[in-house]
C-alpha cells in the first residue's frame, strides 16, 4: 500500500500554510481516498504548530519541522527538512506544491532517497496505481505518467486543485528533529516588490491582457501611450488582476519604440510566453492570433475588446468580444470600479 506524504510549507507569516500547500493537501486527500492509502502531511515552518491547525479536519498524521532555521527558503535547510520528513513518513508517494521553495530542493531530495521526480503535474488519477498528468510542448500534448520507482515525487502546478479549507483547531503534531550541519548561506531577509509594483499575480481571479494596439496611432492620428499606461494600471489597481501582454507589445521595448514601462517579457502570454490559470480573462487591443491565444488554454471565461470586428478573438476564440475602442471602455470601467469602492 502507498504511503502518501504531502509536503507543505508556511507562507511569509511563518505560521499559516501557503495557498499552494493547501492545494496540495486537496490533491493528497483525493488520491489517498481513491487508493485507500495512508495520508501523512509534512509541514516546514517557523511555527509549525500554528500552521498545522488548518489541517485538523484532514484526520491525517502530521509531521513537522519547525524553528527559526526553517522560516525562509534556503537549499541546505529545506532539503534537510524535507528529506527528514520523507524518511519519518516512510513515504512512497510525495506530493508537493510546485513553489519556488520546493521546486529548488525536491529533485535533490528525490535523488538522496533513490527516488524519482516529475514536475508540473496538473492532475492525479488512477484507481489501483498513481497516474500523473502533465503537459508538454507548450501545453499542446498531455501525457499520463505512471512509475514503479518509489519514492516518487510529484510537484503540483499551482491552481490545479482547490485549496483545502477546514476549520482551524489545535492538533497533535509529531516534531521531526533535523540536525543541520554548518550552514554556508545566511538568510538576511526577504525582499519583494510592493504588491502594486508586482503586476504578475498568479493567484488573481482575472487575467488582463494588453496588446500592441495600446501603443498604436488612434483615430485622432496620435499615440497615447501615457494615457494607456494610466488606464491599464488603474484597472489593475481596482481589480487586483494579473497583467499579461502580447508578444508584439513587449517586443516593442527591444525595438526602441515608446512602450509601457511596467511590461517585461515575463508578462508575455502565449506559445513563447506563459500559460497562466485564471478564472477570467480580458484581452484589450490585441488581435487574438493563435500563437497568443494558445497561452489562454486554461483561462475559464475569455473576453476581448478590439476595434477589429474580424480579429482572431471574434473567430470563435473568445466567449464575448466587444468591438469597441478600449480607451473609453477601460476609462469608464475604472470610473465605475472607483465609484463602487468609494
Ligand atoms: C513562433 C512564434 C511565436 C509567437 N509567440 C507568441 C506569444 O507567445 N505570444 C504572443 O502574444 N504572440 C506570439 N507571437 C506573435 C503573434 O503571432 C502576434 O504577432 C501577436 O500576438 C500580435 O500582438 P497584438 O495582437 O498585440 O498586436 P497586433 O497584431 O498589432 O494587434 C493590435 C490590435 O489592437 C487593436 N486596436 C488598436 N487600437 C485599439 C483600440 N483603441 N481599442 C481596441 N483595439 C484596438 C487592433 O485592431 C489590432 O487588432 C508569435 C509568433 C510566432 C511566429
Amino acid at each position: 500500500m502507498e504511503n502518501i506524504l504531502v509536503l507543505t510549507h508556511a507562507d511569509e507569516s511563518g505560521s499559516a500554510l501557503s495557498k499552494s500547500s493547501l492545494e496540495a493537501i486537496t490533491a493528497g486527500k483525493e488520491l489517498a481516498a481513491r487508493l485507500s492509502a495512508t495520508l501523512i502531511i509534512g509541514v516546514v515552518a517557523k511555527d509549525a504548530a500554528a500552521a498545522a491547525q488548518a489541517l485538523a479536519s484532514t484526520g491525517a498524521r502530521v509531521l513537522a519541522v519547525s524553528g527559526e532555521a526553517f522560516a525562509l527558503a534556503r537549499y541546505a535547510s529545506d532539503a534537510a527538512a524535507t528529506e527528514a520528513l520523507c524518511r519519518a513518513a516512510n513515504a512512497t508517494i510525495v506530493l508537493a506544491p510546485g513553489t519556488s521553495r520546493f521546486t529548488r530542493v525536491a529533485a535533490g531530495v528525490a535523488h538522496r532517497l533513490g527516488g524519482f521526480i516529475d514536475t508540473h503535474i496538473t492532475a492525479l488519477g488512477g484507481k489501483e496505481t498513481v497516474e500523473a498528468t502533465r503537459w508538454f510542448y507548450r501545453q499542446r500534448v498531455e501525457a499520463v505518467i505512471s512509475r514503479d520507482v518509489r519514492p516518487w515525487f510529484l510537484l503540483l502546478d499551482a491552481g490545479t486543485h482547490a485549496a483545502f479549507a477546514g476549520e482551524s483547531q489545535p492538533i497533535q503534531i509529531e516534531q521531526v528533529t533535523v540536525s543541520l550541519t554548518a550552514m554556508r548561506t545566511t538568510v538576511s531577509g526577504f525582499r519583494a516588490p510592493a504588491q502594486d509594483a508586482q503586476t504578475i499575480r498568479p493567484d488573481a481571479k482575472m487575467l488582463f491582457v494588453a496588446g500592441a494596439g495600446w501603443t498604436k496611432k488612434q483615430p485622432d492620428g496620435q499615440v497615447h501611450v501615457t494615457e494607456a499606461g494610466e488606464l491599464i494600471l488603474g484597472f489593475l489597481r481596482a481589480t487586483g488582476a494579473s497583467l499579461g501582454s502580447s508578444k508584439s507589445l513587449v517586443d516593442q521595448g527591444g525595438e526602441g519604440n515608446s512602450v509601457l514601462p511596467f511590461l517585461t517579457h515575463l508578462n508575455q502570454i502565449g506559445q513563447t510566453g506563459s500559460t497562466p490559470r485564471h478564472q477570467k480573462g480580458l484581452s484589450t487591443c490585441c488581435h487574438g492570433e493563435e500563437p497568443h491565444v494558445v497561452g489562454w488554454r486554461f483561462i475559464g471565461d475569455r473576453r476581448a475588446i478590439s476595434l477589429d470586428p474580424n480579429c482572431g478573438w471574434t473567430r470563435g476564440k473568445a466567449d464575448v468580444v466587444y468591438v469597441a475602442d478600449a480607451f473609453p471602455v477601460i476609462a469608464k470601467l475604472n470610473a465605475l470600479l472607483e465609484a463602487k469602492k468609494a
Side-chain angles (χ1 to χ4, degrees):
M1 196 171 66
E2 303 283 9
N3 265 353
I4 300 172
L5 171 68
V6 181
L7 289 173
T8 63
H9 63 74
D11 61 15
E12 300 82 59
S13 72
S15 55
L17 292 180
S18 67
K19 181 164 175 280
S20 310
S21 294
L22 293 168
E23 291 174 8
I25 299 289
T26 303
K29 270 176 64 78
E30 287 172 5
L31 185 67
R34 212 170 40 248
L35 300 181
S36 305
T38 313
L39 177 67
I40 305 157
I41 300 171
V43 180
V44 180
K46 183 179 172 187
D47 184 354
Q53 292 197 3
L55 304 172
S57 61
T58 60
R61 182 180 164 210
V62 178
L63 305 174
V65 173
S66 322
E68 195 63 49
F70 306 99
L72 289 171
R74 168 177 44 197
Y75 188 92
S77 46
D78 280 347
T82 47
E83 181 187 350
L85 288 170
C86 292
R87 290 191 192 280
N90 205 10
T92 57
I93 300 288
V94 181
L95 304 181
T99 55
S100 60
R101 186 165 184 180
F102 278 167
T103 301
R104 197 151 61 133
V105 297
V109 176
H111 181 73
R112 287 182 193 181
L113 296 170
F116 207 95
I117 183 164
D118 283 287
T119 59
H120 291 292
I121 301 303
T122 53
L124 295 165
K127 284 197 178 117
E128 310 280 304
T129 56
V130 182
E131 293 174 359
T133 302
R134 67 157 290 172
W135 294 80
F136 289 97
Y137 187 42
R138 289 274 160 201
Q139 332 297 342
R140 286 201 171 97
V141 180
E142 192 181 29
V144 178
I145 309 162
S146 59
R147 295 191 188 277
D148 295 330
V149 180
R150 297 290 183 269
W152 185 18
F153 282 64
L154 295 158
L155 285 185
L156 307 172
D157 265 1
T160 53
H161 293 83
F164 173 75
E167 205 182 316
S168 269
Q169 276 172 25
I171 58 161
Q172 196 73 37
I173 58 172
E174 296 170 44
Q175 292 287 352
V176 174
T177 320
V178 180
S179 51
L180 292 175
T181 50
M183 294 283 132
R184 280 187 304 179
T185 308
T186 312
V187 183
S188 58
F190 189 69
R191 267 197 234 167
Q195 182 60 25
D196 56 356
Q198 178 59 273
T199 58
I200 300 171
R201 301 166 182 160
D203 288 342
K205 274 194 182 152
M206 197 200 307
L207 171 72
F208 178 88
V209 158
W214 282 108
T215 61
K216 296 260 162 77
K217 275 190 186 164
Q218 293 302 309
D220 61 0
Q222 306 294 317
V223 292
H224 297 277
V225 179
T226 311
E227 190 191 340
E230 282 163 8
L231 287 172
I232 294 166
L233 290 178
F235 185 84
L236 297 182
R237 264 196 306 274
T239 57
S242 186
L243 178 63
S245 171
S246 70
K247 185 173 189 308
S248 295
L249 183 53
V250 284
D251 279 354
Q252 285 181 26
E255 290 159 12
N257 296 330
S258 102
V259 74
L260 301 169
F262 45 85
L263 279 171
T264 73
H265 277 96
L266 290 175
N267 294 92
Q268 186 184 317
I269 307 295
Q271 181 184 336
T272 44
S274 64
T275 313
R277 289 166 196 272
H278 299 277
Q279 281 171 26
K280 295 180 177 187
L282 177 63
S283 161
T284 53
C285 300
C286 168
H287 190 75
E289 281 189 36
E290 184 56 26
H292 175 75
V293 178
V294 72
W296 282 62
R297 188 160 204 147
F298 302 123
I299 306 295
D301 180 330
R302 305 165 173 203
R303 301 193 177 202
I305 307 172
S306 174
L307 279 177
D308 183 359
N310 274 321
C311 75
W313 293 112
T314 54
R315 300 196 195 144
K317 287 179 185 157
D319 300 298
V320 179
V321 181
Y322 306 96
V323 179
D325 186 334
F327 279 82
V329 173
I330 298 299
K332 180 76 182 168
L333 253 179
N334 286 354
L336 289 171
L337 288 164
E338 291 280 314
K340 203 174 164 197
K341 254 190 192 166

